[in-house]
Amino acid sequence: MSSEKLLTLKTSDGEEFVLEEAMAFRSLTIKNAASTNTNNNTPLSINVQSNTMIKVIEYWTKHSERDISEDQLMTFDKNFFKLMDKSKLFDLVLATNYLAATELLDAACEQVADRIRRKTPEEIRDFFNITREDEEQIFKELNN
Amino acid sequence: MEYFPVEIIGNILSRLGAARDVVVASLTCRKWREARRNHLDTLTFNSNDWPVYDELSRSRLEVIITQTIFQTNSLQCLSIILKNDVRFSAAPVIAWLMYTRDTLRLLHYYVDTPNLNILEKCGHQSLELLDLAENTITGFGSSYQRFPCLRSLSLTHVHISTLDLSNLLSACPKVEVLNLDDMDFDTSGPEFSMRLSSNSLKDIHIEAIQLREIILEADSLKKLHLKDCNIGSFALLSNETLRILELDNVDIFPLDIGDNAENLEIVEVSNFTTFRSDFHHMIVRLSKVRRMSLCFVMFEDDGDEFVHTEATSACFPHLSLLSLTDELRQELKCGLLGYRQLENLVVLELGWKMISDSFSDWVVELLERCPNLRQLVILGAVSGVNTHEECHTLANFTTFIIRLMRKYLRVDIQFKYV
């Protein structure tokens, strides 16, 4: 067993997660909060749902493994996102943005980009649930 | 989605990259348009993304690109790669470069643009990567411009004099990667030679070039790759930092890499013609090499004057992968790889251009020199095996190898035929 320092996180829906400090510090938000949190016994509150945090920790764990090849990581990343539905993906983007976990945030944004590539504006609006705007308004803006 | 901050949308748009996708996506709503305006850092106009580019007229293309670029304000990476021999006029391109000057870090530009002095117009202070094709660079010699942040310079089919290229390199104090491909050197002058000098270059790739002489002064050079080149004379002056050397379909006489052989770790030579003594002199000093591939090496001379004394003391203690073709058999007899055992050799690949009976003997000779071998790979050219006699030779060889390998049970045998 490693003698790494551990950190306890408490999600917005009350669940607690214990992980190695080094792994948790992949989130700059957690890192900054931990440095100002003098009391090591109380868990650090984070504004992330537990089911999203589970995915984040899954990703961090895999990317912290030693002796893992580039190919294996690429396969993992591909499968990690392949089965993720849209709303989970959006939750992940928001969560990693809040956590300032840039590696996973970039990977999640890349996945969103892949899913909307070559779509028409209508299809993209559907994908993101954006309401149609006033045509005239758009015309005015574009010509300003 | 309403909760996505505009910077995130900018991140997503930047990853889309292809200009058409970016424009289409930003038609969806105001927030996306704002993201495109303020948070887009990458824009790509590439024929591979949208074949319609190839059907548009030159002026239409210029208008589209101008409108798209001018609707952003923090572009860091711009890529314009179009097919079909389109040629832009200089004015719009100058506008794009000046508009993005303050923020642009990476520029890929593959469109022939007469009368454009691209080096003068692009931002000097922030440019980190310049990947240029199909253009002309002139008159850099008397320039005071410098590119303080440029790390990577790639020129493909660019018309430039060797002197201007040399001056350009000197103006890039931090450049680490240099790629030259199919260059159109201005050899109408007296310069048929090229002298490049850089203390920061780590990786040089030169392809499809014909010159009388190349002199590289590169004190930090780690990797050198020459491909499809015809070079009269080549000299590398460096601080023994070279680790990787790749020569592929190259003719060089003479070849001089100085003391750099001492620290080479990976050497891959294929379809190479040079002077015999130069070659022996280089190989026999590769005391730190880990992987070496010497295939289809030919000599321009029959020189026997190389020194044998170096061969007797030559050893390759770190060599773990070796790949040879059978025309080098005679050279090995003359001490190309010394005479000692190859203690740490784990993988041995032997190939032939034309199957012959003596190849089997050669395999035996080498196996005896490799006490810790784990894998033997036979690379054979069989597409030329036509006559009855040739088939017979191949069959005999196969039978012989199978029997031989029963003596070497720890060695895994593989055949790769082309």
Side-chain angles (χ1 to χ4, degrees):
Chain A
M1 266 317 271
S2 87
S3 54
E4 291 285 344
K5 197 162 166 216
L6 299 173
L7 195 63
T8 310
L9 303 171
K10 189 167 182 182
T11 61
S12 52
D13 48 344
E15 287 234 14
E16 289 192 0
F17 291 91
V18 180
L19 51 156
E20 285 176 11
E21 201 176 71
M23 195 186 297
F25 282 6
R26 280 169 180 257
S27 152
L28 283 178
T29 311
I30 293 177
K31 189 172 181 186
N32 289 336
S35 66
T36 55
N37 183 24
T38 47
N39 187 350
N40 283 335
N41 289 328
T42 54
L44 210 55
S45 272
I46 51 171
N47 191 9
V48 180
Q49 293 273 332
S50 58
N51 57 355
T52 312
M53 200 60 208
I54 288 172
K55 290 305 270 184
V56 173
I57 293 176
E58 182 189 333
Y59 185 87
W60 283 349
T61 308
K62 193 72 184 179
H63 281 250
S64 302
E65 263 180 41
R66 297 206 175 100
D67 299 334
I68 186 166
S69 75
E70 285 281 334
D71 283 341
Q72 285 173 313
L73 268 182
M74 270 175 68
T75 316
F76 169 83
D77 284 0
K78 210 159 98 169
N79 293 329
F80 182 78
F81 287 113
K82 194 155 104 172
L83 302 167
M84 201 178 282
D85 69 42
K86 205 169 57 176
S87 74
K88 278 223 152 54
L89 182 57
F90 292 167
D91 286 341
L92 190 64
V93 171
L94 287 168
T96 47
N97 183 47
Y98 162 82
L99 288 172
T102 30
E103 196 193 348
L104 183 51
L105 172 60
D106 285 347
C109 286
E110 183 79 47
Q111 178 64 207
V112 176
D114 283 344
R115 291 191 194 190
I116 61 172
R117 201 160 267 137
R118 301 194 217 291
K119 280 189 153 60
T120 64
E122 272 306 316
E123 287 166 346
I124 297 178
R125 279 198 203 100
D126 272 336
F127 187 78
F128 287 105
N129 260 336
I130 303 173
T131 50
R132 264 193 87 84
E133 288 176 320
D134 195 42
E135 293 279 5
E136 200 185 316
Q137 181 65 31
I138 300 175
F139 185 78
K140 274 194 194 147
E141 249 184 70
L142 281 176
N143 287 295
N144 262 355
Chain B
M1 212 295 292
E2 312 87 69
Y3 305 121
F4 275 25
V6 72
E7 294 87 3
I8 294 291
I9 299 180
N11 190 337
I12 296 170
L13 281 177
S14 300
R15 281 164 200 288
L16 274 179
R20 183 176 175 270
D21 282 325
V22 168
V23 170
V24 161
S26 56
L27 287 174
T28 51
C29 74
R30 180 176 304 143
K31 201 178 199 180
W32 283 70
R33 284 194 293 284
E34 191 197 327
R36 179 180 68 174
R37 193 165 33 246
N38 297 326
H39 299 280
L40 181 67
D41 62 46
T42 304
L43 206 50
T44 308
F45 299 89
N46 191 324
S47 294
N48 291 332
D49 292 334
W50 195 39
V52 174
Y53 287 132
D54 296 338
E55 295 162 25
L56 299 175
S57 70
R58 187 212 77 197
S59 49
R60 186 91 196 98
L61 272 173
E62 288 170 357
V63 167
I64 288 176
I65 296 177
T66 306
Q67 279 183 334
T68 317
I69 291 179
F70 275 61
Q71 277 168 342
T72 67
N73 62 25
S74 53
L75 215 56
Q76 292 180 35
C77 174
L78 177 62
S79 182
I80 303 180
I81 299 174
L82 301 171
K83 293 181 196 159
N84 268 6
D85 301 328
V86 66
R87 268 181 165 192
F88 285 152
S89 42
V93 184
I94 291 173
W96 307 335
L97 293 174
M98 290 183 72
Y99 183 77
T100 52
R101 189 180 261 189
D102 291 333
T103 52
L104 202 66
R105 295 187 300 113
L106 307 134
L107 176 63
H108 301 263
Y109 188 68
Y110 284 24
V111 178
D112 185 9
T113 312
N115 304 317
L116 172 68
N117 190 339
I118 199 166
L119 292 181
E120 206 181 281
K121 296 292 180 261
C122 62
H124 301 137
Q125 293 310 313
S126 47
L127 203 62
E128 292 174 22
L129 181 148
L130 177 60
D131 177 14
L132 190 64
E134 309 297 334
N135 272 274
T136 300
I137 294 177
T138 52
F140 197 80
S142 54
S143 168
Y144 51 80
Q145 298 152 30
R146 278 170 77 77
F147 291 89
C149 297
L150 198 73
R151 290 205 186 281
S152 169
L153 178 63
S154 293
L155 303 175
T156 305
H157 201 221
V158 166
H159 184 86
I160 188 174
S161 74
T162 51
L163 183 59
D164 278 345
L165 179 56
S166 177
N167 288 333
L168 173 55
L169 218 54
S170 302
C172 306
K174 290 220 181 106
V175 67
E176 291 179 10
V177 177
L178 176 67
N179 287 313
L180 301 174
D181 188 354
D182 193 20
M183 296 294 283
D184 181 13
F185 284 122
D186 182 5
T187 50
S188 53
E191 317 142 18
F192 290 89
S193 69
M194 177 164 78
R195 187 184 193 107
L196 299 178
S197 186
S198 165
N199 282 340
S200 54
L201 267 179
K202 292 195 176 126
D203 184 338
I204 297 180
H205 176 111
I206 299 180
E207 187 169 334
I209 276 177
Q210 213 169 340
L211 280 173
R212 197 199 62 197
E213 181 188 38
I214 293 183
I215 300 174
L216 291 179
E217 281 176 38
D219 275 340
S220 307
L221 194 64
K222 285 217 167 90
K223 181 172 174 196
L224 176 62
H225 185 173
L226 302 177
K227 186 175 172 182
D228 298 335
C229 292
N230 201 316
I231 304 170
S233 126
F234 181 89
L236 174 65
L237 307 164
S238 172
N239 252 347
E240 300 177 27
T241 47
L242 197 64
R243 295 276 176 276
I244 303 176
L245 177 65
E246 289 173 21
L247 304 171
D248 184 2
N249 194 21
V250 174
D251 296 340
I252 305 179
F253 340 78
L255 164 71
D256 178 17
I257 61 168
D259 291 330
N260 284 289
E262 313 275 338
N263 289 319
L264 274 171
E265 291 175 15
I266 299 177
V267 174
E268 285 179 20
V269 172
S270 131
N271 289 313
F272 180 54
T273 312
T274 189
F275 288 138
R276 197 176 203 176
S277 52
D278 285 347
F279 190 68
H280 273 259
H281 192 62
M282 179 175 80
I283 301 292
V284 102
R285 291 157 72 198
L286 295 175
S287 51
K288 296 211 177 108
V289 72
R290 292 187 288 109
R291 281 168 34 193
M292 180 151 64
S293 173
L294 309 172
C295 298
F296 308 119
V297 180
M298 280 146 289
F299 303 113
E300 189 65 6
D301 61 331
D302 288 321
D304 280 332
E305 309 92 35
F306 53 83
V307 183
H308 288 270
T309 53
E310 275 186 324
T312 44
S313 58
C315 68
F316 303 89
H318 303 283
L319 189 60
S320 68
L321 188 148
L322 177 62
S323 191
L324 298 168
T325 43
D326 63 347
E327 81 282 348
L328 287 171
R329 188 180 180 191
Q330 186 56 33
E331 309 310 318
L332 257 68
K333 277 209 162 81
C334 295
L336 181 71
L337 289 176
Y339 300 105
R340 303 192 189 174
Q341 299 252 300
L342 299 167
E343 297 283 348
N344 286 314
L345 199 68
V346 168
V347 179
L348 177 64
E349 295 178 345
L350 299 175
W352 73 72
K353 216 173 199 174
M354 279 198 59
I355 182 76
S356 72
D357 284 324
S358 59
F359 189 84
S360 323
D361 298 331
W362 191 44
V363 176
V364 172
E365 264 170 45
L366 280 167
L367 280 176
E368 280 165 13
R369 247 181 107 174
C370 311
N372 294 309
L373 198 68
R374 284 274 171 274
Q375 186 176 62
L376 174 65
V377 180
I378 305 291
L379 306 162
V382 298
S383 51
V385 174
N386 287 324
T387 67
H388 175 75
E389 200 180 307
E390 284 164 348
C391 290
H392 193 63
T393 309
L394 183 60
N396 277 347
F397 170 73
T398 315
T399 316
F400 175 84
I401 290 291
I402 291 175
R403 288 186 188 144
L404 175 68
M405 296 319 287
R406 285 183 198 146
K407 257 177 41 181
Y408 294 91
L409 287 171
R410 289 193 333 180
V411 180
D412 173 50
I413 174 92
Q414 248 188 58
F415 292 87
K416 287 187 186 163
Y417 288 153
V418 289

